Amino acid sequence: MKLFNFVEKAYYINLESRQDKKIAIENHFKDACIEVRHDDGIWLRFDHGWMHIRTSNTEPILRYIVEQEHAADAEAHLQTLQELLETHEA
């Protein structure tokens, strides 16, 4: 699988809400995933790409990385992530 559409972003969060945000993201995407891992945050694998979401241990930041085969899919995942983060803002 060749993946080229890679985006990494950071979102400033309220530290008290970080677990709620990670749970909301995982719950939203889990049915579309082939694999979910919790080694370092949440890593989700899809048919044509993957997504990694983790909170910083030193800053009030949630980092997310999306890599998809098609740019439109990467942008759709990014948009959904942004909406979920804003919806679950404490």
Side-chain angles (χ1 to χ4, degrees):
M1 172 182 6
K2 289 185 179 181
L3 301 175
F4 300 108
N5 297 288
F6 179 90
V7 180
E8 180 176 4
K9 294 195 175 198
Y11 184 87
Y12 287 93
I13 60 170
N14 177 325
L15 292 176
E16 289 77 34
S17 68
R18 65 182 167 192
Q19 189 62 28
D20 291 340
K21 290 180 188 311
K22 290 192 300 187
I23 290 169
I25 291 166
E26 182 174 352
N27 286 341
H28 180 83
F29 287 106
K30 69 181 176 184
D31 291 338
C33 292
I34 296 170
E35 181 181 2
V36 177
R37 291 193 334 228
H38 297 96
D39 305 352
D40 179 27
I42 303 168
W43 186 84
L44 308 167
R45 185 167 71 102
F46 303 95
D47 284 333
H48 300 284
W50 58 272
M51 179 186 311
H52 184 223
I53 301 100
R54 68 178 297 274
T55 52
S56 171
N57 292 325
T58 59
E59 301 174 279
I61 293 174
L62 185 137
R63 297 184 192 285
Y64 49 100
I65 303 167
V66 175
E67 185 172 9
Q68 293 288 318
E69 184 176 355
H70 303 287
D73 294 336
E75 288 300 321
H77 281 325
L78 288 171
Q79 180 65 36
T80 300
L81 278 170
Q82 191 69 35
E83 290 170 4
L84 287 167
L85 290 168
E86 291 171 2
T87 299
H88 293 275
E89 187 60 53

